[in-house]
RNA sequence: GCUCAUGUAGCUCAGUCGGUAGAGCACUUCCUUGGUAAGGAAGAGGUCACAGGUUCGAUUCCUGUCAUGAGCACCA
């Protein structure tokens, strides 16, 4: 007699060992059909897993969070089988699940090409239609080695030989295809449907360039066709919105070989930057920060004291002069401590908030560089709050509210908060980390925030709250951060005098809202597909004349707008108005003003938006008022 | 940094099985003065990323370097 406990707490007795599938069937035919796998006493298992003792059992269906990974893994096997059917002699090696899908590495007499993918995909669909049962079996290590050698699967055999001899290995078989795998897998190939092969790439066996070259085939797999389509649509949409493309089209910035990972801002891009910076400067002012500016290059001895030398050296650029070594600053915190250290501080002055549009240079790995999203030289809206331990909570909650307001002002309303905890490579003892992590948790709770925790992801000097913004096509970007640091003030000798005339080290909070100006602008461009809100648009309005007879009036209207502080231009080129409209609309200029005889006579402007909406005629003051309302922030 | 791919006119791309290159858009000039997403004609524009090698001859083949892209790892 065994007793199965279901997730709702109900118990079901069975007088014989049962499989997960049978448990599902005892609950209902629908559930039995939907069963992909199971969880027995918290352990993921196949639907066919036999349960011989009292256990808690959960049925995994497409609705379960674990389902997608199982489906993707089974789809990888499906692809392996299809490849071996089409290309006899191809050996399978490893086939893991990755973000959005899976890949499988193959050894074959020639590399696979993109032209092979449709054929493989078609074969995969045939195998799905065959609804082959997927069965699990167990072999000893040596038997497994012999089995795969017998099939000519040298790579598989080599993998297994690396596993201790006393371990039993599970094999999964569907039709003529057998692979070594931990599982679990779907009960039959008919459960797989929404997948697509994406691309091929070369990869060395075991990632070692002295080994043989394999072909890696990437695929994506989803619970249903709707999710698959949504994913493919997102990829397409993301490509259209790529900030590198928009940056070129709208003449915002460029990058070139002589300065890899750095940005040449053109006038249009710099106009966006100026808006962002002015806005953030206002945030500094409203929330009690003093804005400062520190040097780019500081003696290496400072970075040794701060801990960067030991923990961050490989990411730093160094330069020498007269036998002294200097570091180009990768972070702004030490500089701010040096500013704080000028003069003596009383506890009465705390918190002291120091902020900077701090330009940082980091020697990022070349493969990490990506447009203006991931660069080697970037500017942070970086601030450091020097406070007492008792002030941490109120500072963090105030920061949180401010940050959320900023994200909302830029048009982002879905923000996820994560708490990154102590990494392996860190300074300071566990007791200090306990305090720092507890302080952030307490502040987040008080702010009424839901958060997820990321063990091992913190900065080397302290844990951090991370703000992730979701953009208009569903991607998440890490932007803001709030970090508690008990270490740096002590290392760099920051002090204040407490109520008892004793010198104490303040706590240092590192915080940023947009994170990197470069990345944030990149995110904005992709979020808005280049069509920035009027207050951020590099050119807000272009005045177009119809013929030369209206040139003077057009110039006068544009000048009025410029005088009122708007970014207005005039386009007097000898072109048809349709041509000029098309051009400026494609440049995503929010408003286009057309002036001809009618407007000149009545002193009005004809206004249309970049999307083609006709706002009709209005007088210049009316337009100025509209612009004023729209650009107020 | 690793793997693979890519690098041709300002931009987007063709092309050359080895004999120094072409389109569209943009640009210049001329015609056209036209009311809401491309008016017409002519013209100019390229050490084919860089450095070596093979060759009578290399943009093309080979090697290396640099950069970029995709993925991995890393991260703001």
């Amino acid at each position: 007699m065994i007793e199965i406990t279901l997730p709702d707490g109900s118990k079901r007795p069975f007088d014989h060992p049962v499989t997960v599938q049978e448990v599902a069937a005892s609950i209902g035919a629908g559930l039995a059909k939907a069963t992909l796998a199971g969880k027995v006493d918290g352990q993921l298992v196949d639907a066919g897993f036999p349960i011989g003792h009292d256990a808690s059992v959960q049925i995994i269906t497409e609705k379960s969070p674990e389902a997608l990974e199982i489906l993707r893994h089974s789809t990888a096997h499906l692809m392996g089988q299809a490849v071996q059917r089409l290309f006899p002699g191809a050996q399978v090696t490893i086939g893991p699940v990755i973000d959005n899908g899976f890949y499988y590495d193959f050894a074959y007499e020639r590399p696979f090409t993109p032209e092979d993918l449709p054929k493989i995909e078609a074969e995969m669909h045939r195998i799905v239609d065959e609804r082959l049962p997927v069965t699990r079996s167990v072999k000893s290590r040596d038997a497994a080695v012999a089995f795969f050698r017998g099939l000519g699967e040298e790579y598989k055999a080599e993998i297994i030989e690396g596993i201790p001899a006393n371990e039993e290995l599970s094999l999964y078989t569907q039709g003529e295809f057998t692979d070594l795998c931990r599982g679990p897998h779907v009960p039959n190939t008919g459960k797989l449907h929404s997948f697509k092969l994406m691309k091929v790439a070369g990869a060395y066996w075991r990632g070692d360039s002295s080994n043989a070259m394999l072909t890696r085939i990437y695929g994506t797999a989803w619970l249903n066709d709707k999710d698959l389509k949504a994913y493919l649509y997102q990829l397409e949409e993301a490509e259209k919105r790529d900030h590198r493309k928009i940056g070129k089209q709208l003449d915002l910035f460029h990058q070139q070989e002589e300065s890899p990972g750095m940005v040449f801002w053109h006038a249009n891009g710099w106009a966006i930057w100026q808006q962002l910076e002015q806005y953030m400067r206002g945030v500094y002012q409203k929330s009690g920060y003093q804005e400062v500016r520190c040097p780019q290059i500081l003696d290496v001895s400072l970075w040794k004291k701060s801990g960067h030398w030991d923990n961050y050296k490989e990411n730093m650029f160094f330069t020498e002069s007269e036998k002294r070594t200097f570091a180009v600053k990768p972070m702004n915190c030490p500089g701010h401590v040096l500013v704080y250290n000028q003069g003596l501080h009383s506890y009465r002055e705390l918190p002291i908030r120091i902020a900077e549009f701090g330009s940082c240079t980091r020697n990022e790995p070349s493969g990490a560089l990506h447009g203006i999203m991931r660069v080697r030289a970037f500017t942070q809206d970086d601030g450091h709050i020097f406070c007492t331990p008792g002030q941490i909570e109120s500072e963090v909650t105030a920061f949180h509210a401010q940050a959320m307001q900023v994200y909302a002002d830029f048009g982002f309303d879905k923000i996820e908060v994560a708490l990154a905890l102590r990494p392996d490579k860190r300074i300071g003892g566990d007791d200090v980390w306990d305090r720092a992590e507890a302080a952030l948790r307490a502040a987040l709770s008080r702010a009424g925030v839901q958060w997820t925790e990321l063990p091992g992801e913190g900065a080397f000097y302290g844990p951090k709250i991370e703000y992730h913004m979701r953009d208009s096509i569903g991607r998440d970007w890490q932007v803001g951060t709030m970090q508690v640091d008990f270490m740096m003030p002590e290392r760099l000798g920051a002090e204040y005098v407490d109520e008892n005339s004793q010198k104490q080290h303040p706590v240092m909070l590192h915080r940023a809202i947009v994170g990197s100006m470069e990345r944030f602008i990149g995110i904005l461009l992709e979020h808005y597909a280049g069509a920035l809100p009027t207050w951020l648009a590099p050119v807000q309005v272009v005045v177009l004349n119809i013929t030369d007879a209206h040139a003077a009036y057009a110039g006068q209207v544009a000048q009025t707008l410029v005088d009122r502080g708007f970014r207005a231009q005039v386009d007097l080129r000898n072109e048809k108005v349709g041509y000029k409209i098309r051009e400026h609309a494609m440049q995503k200029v929010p408003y286009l003003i057309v002036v001809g005889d009618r407007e000149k006579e009545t002193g009005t402007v004809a206004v249309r938006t970049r999307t083609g909406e006709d706002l009709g005629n209005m007088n210049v003051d009316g337009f100025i008022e509209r612009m004023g309302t729209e650009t107020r922030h």
Side-chain angles (χ1 to χ4, degrees):
Chain A
M1 193 70 163
I2 57 174
E3 190 175 62
I4 300 300
T5 308
L6 296 169
D8 64 359
S10 66
K11 295 177 190 302
R12 277 170 188 263
F14 290 90
D15 53 11
H16 55 87
V18 289
T19 64
V20 171
Q21 185 69 54
E22 286 162 349
V23 173
S26 80
I27 299 170
L31 183 63
K33 206 174 159 208
T35 299
L36 293 175
K39 219 172 196 179
V40 174
D41 293 331
Q43 198 75 32
L44 270 179
V45 296
D46 297 300
F49 182 80
I51 309 166
H53 54 83
D54 291 0
S56 70
V57 171
Q58 191 189 334
I59 308 298
I60 303 287
T61 68
E62 292 193 353
K63 296 203 171 78
S64 315
E66 298 87 350
L68 200 46
E69 183 162 347
I70 295 170
L71 274 179
R72 285 175 176 160
H73 207 165
S74 294
T75 309
H77 277 214
L78 177 65
M79 178 171 78
Q81 182 174 17
V83 167
Q84 292 201 318
R85 279 190 180 182
L86 292 171
F87 305 99
Q91 298 184 51
V92 293
T93 63
I94 54 163
V97 171
I98 53 173
D99 278 358
N100 302 320
F102 58 90
Y103 69 80
Y104 221 123
D105 286 349
F106 298 95
Y108 190 52
E109 60 201 34
R110 66 166 174 92
F112 295 115
T113 67
E115 289 77 55
D116 294 322
L117 296 185
K119 280 178 266 170
I120 298 170
E121 215 172 285
E123 188 62 36
M124 288 168 73
H125 284 289
R126 270 194 284 281
I127 299 170
V128 168
D129 293 340
E130 290 170 21
R131 300 179 61 83
L132 298 173
V134 179
T135 55
R136 180 179 189 271
S137 59
V138 170
K139 279 192 170 26
S140 73
R141 189 200 71 171
D142 293 340
V145 170
F147 174 78
F148 282 107
R149 278 259 143 74
L151 292 177
E153 295 278 5
E154 290 302 322
Y155 289 95
K156 228 28 176 194
E158 193 182 321
I159 293 170
I160 302 170
E161 278 170 342
I163 298 172
N166 53 358
E167 273 185 41
E168 290 209 316
L169 302 171
S170 59
L171 304 184
Y172 281 82
T173 302
Q174 52 198 60
E176 77 287 355
F177 178 78
T178 297
D179 197 1
L180 167 82
C181 190
R182 265 193 209 92
H185 280 282
V186 296
N188 70 70
T189 58
K191 299 281 183 193
L192 308 171
H193 32 77
S194 305
F195 52 81
K196 182 173 167 60
L197 300 186
M198 304 299 287
K199 58 185 157 199
V200 295
Y204 289 116
W205 168 233
R206 295 197 152 154
D208 185 338
S209 58
S210 56
N211 287 336
M213 177 71 70
L214 309 174
T215 306
R216 175 171 299 177
I217 302 179
Y218 285 96
T220 186
W222 298 86
L223 295 175
N224 51 58
D225 286 348
K226 189 166 153 267
D227 287 359
L228 173 62
K229 274 204 185 111
Y231 173 69
L232 296 176
Y233 176 76
Q234 186 184 310
L235 287 183
E236 253 175 60
E237 195 53 29
E239 200 177 322
K240 269 189 245 161
R241 290 163 175 260
D242 190 318
H243 74 280
R244 292 165 299 191
K245 207 166 147 184
I246 293 174
K248 210 174 264 175
Q249 283 164 351
L250 305 191
D251 191 19
L252 303 177
F253 56 83
H254 85 273
Q255 295 176 280
Q256 65 181 61
E257 284 195 36
E258 285 77 0
S259 194
M262 311 202 186
V263 185
F264 294 79
W265 286 101
H266 299 190
N268 282 339
W270 194 244
I272 300 170
W273 180 296
Q274 291 293 318
Q275 284 309 112
L276 174 58
E277 184 175 307
Q278 275 311 105
Y279 171 91
M280 290 311 297
R281 180 163 285 126
V283 169
Y284 283 158
Q285 287 163 355
K286 275 182 272 187
S287 40
Y289 287 83
Q290 18 179 325
E291 188 185 329
V292 303
R293 181 78 183 175
C294 295
Q296 292 299 315
I297 291 175
L298 295 133
D299 193 284
V300 73
S301 61
L302 177 73
W303 303 103
K304 285 184 176 164
K305 266 190 247 164
S306 69
H308 286 84
W309 177 264
D310 290 330
N311 293 280
Y312 209 73
K313 193 172 47 214
E314 61 281 8
N315 279 304
M316 293 166 67
F317 283 105
F318 296 96
T319 180
E320 268 179 44
S321 172
E322 296 177 337
K323 293 183 188 143
R324 285 180 74 183
T325 303
F326 297 89
V328 185
K329 71 171 171 171
M331 297 188 193
N332 303 300
C333 27
H336 290 184
V337 176
L338 300 187
V339 171
Y340 174 92
N341 285 354
Q342 294 295 306
L344 200 58
H345 296 291
S346 154
Y347 72 96
R348 294 171 188 277
E349 291 173 62
L350 302 185
I352 288 174
R353 306 184 189 90
I354 297 177
E356 180 174 358
F357 291 100
S359 151
C360 297
T361 307
R362 299 183 184 173
N363 196 2
E364 299 288 348
S366 56
L369 304 179
H370 179 81
I372 64 172
M373 297 285 206
R374 188 76 186 276
V375 290
R376 289 198 173 134
F378 58 101
T379 303
Q380 294 177 309
D381 63 318
D382 202 4
H384 294 92
I385 302 169
F386 297 87
C387 65
T388 65
Q391 291 168 331
I392 295 175
E393 207 173 295
S394 60
E395 287 300 315
V396 173
T397 48
F399 169 80
H400 176 78
Q402 184 67 67
M404 297 306 279
Q405 181 61 52
V406 171
Y407 302 140
D409 283 350
F410 283 100
F412 298 91
D413 47 15
K414 293 199 192 79
I415 312 295
E416 300 276 335
V417 176
L419 181 56
L421 305 173
R422 65 195 76 182
D424 294 337
K425 202 172 181 188
R426 60 178 185 261
I427 55 180
D430 283 348
D431 53 324
V432 179
W433 279 86
D434 288 341
R435 273 162 59 211
E437 289 170 359
L440 289 181
R441 283 196 191 96
L444 285 176
S445 304
R446 215 185 94 195
V449 182
Q450 299 270 314
W451 72 90
T452 52
E453 303 208 338
L454 308 170
E457 303 270 307
F460 71 82
Y461 48 77
K464 58 183 182 184
I465 298 171
E466 295 177 357
Y467 290 83
H468 299 259
M469 295 193 312
R470 176 150 308 165
D471 74 8
S472 56
I473 55 169
R475 295 170 303 176
D476 287 315
W477 302 92
Q478 197 202 311
V479 281
T481 178
M482 163 57 85
Q483 307 166 11
V484 182
D485 179 1
F486 292 102
M487 308 304 306
M488 197 81 61
E490 189 180 329
R491 284 176 169 248
L492 299 181
E495 291 175 330
Y496 67 95
V497 180
D498 72 6
E499 300 90 319
N500 307 310
S501 297
Q502 298 302 302
K503 285 199 171 164
Q504 303 285 352
H505 296 297
V507 180
M508 189 172 173
L509 306 179
H510 305 242
R511 43 109 294 163
I513 295 179
V514 305
S516 146
M517 302 282 280
E518 285 81 356
R519 169 181 282 185
F520 197 77
I521 291 172
I523 296 168
L524 286 174
L525 292 175
E526 301 204 352
H527 180 63
Y528 288 111
L532 295 174
T534 306
W535 72 287
L536 290 168
V539 178
Q540 295 171 314
V541 48
V542 176
V543 183
L544 316 174
N545 62 329
I546 291 175
T547 73
D548 293 344
H550 320 115
Y553 180 61
Q556 186 193 321
V557 169
Q559 189 58 47
T560 306
L561 292 168
V562 169
D563 290 344
R564 297 297 289 266
F566 297 111
R567 295 185 289 281
Q569 292 180 356
V570 61
D571 183 350
L572 301 178
R573 286 176 305 168
N574 174 18
E575 295 290 352
K576 290 195 170 177
V577 72
Y579 179 91
K580 294 199 250 190
I581 284 176
R582 175 183 152 81
E583 207 162 83
H584 297 294
M586 288 198 309
Q587 286 294 305
K588 314 280 188 202
V589 175
Y591 290 104
L592 303 179
I593 285 178
V594 177
V595 294
D597 291 335
R598 288 201 294 276
E599 290 74 22
K600 191 178 164 189
E601 277 159 30
T602 56
T604 59
V605 290
V607 184
R608 62 162 278 159
T609 67
R610 59 189 160 199
T611 57
E613 192 190 353
D614 185 0
L615 301 180
N617 277 60
M618 59 184 84
N619 60 36
V620 177
D621 286 344
F623 180 70
I624 286 173
E625 195 184 318
R626 183 192 175 98
M627 289 283 284
T629 314
E630 200 175 324
T631 55
R632 199 163 294 134
H633 260 95

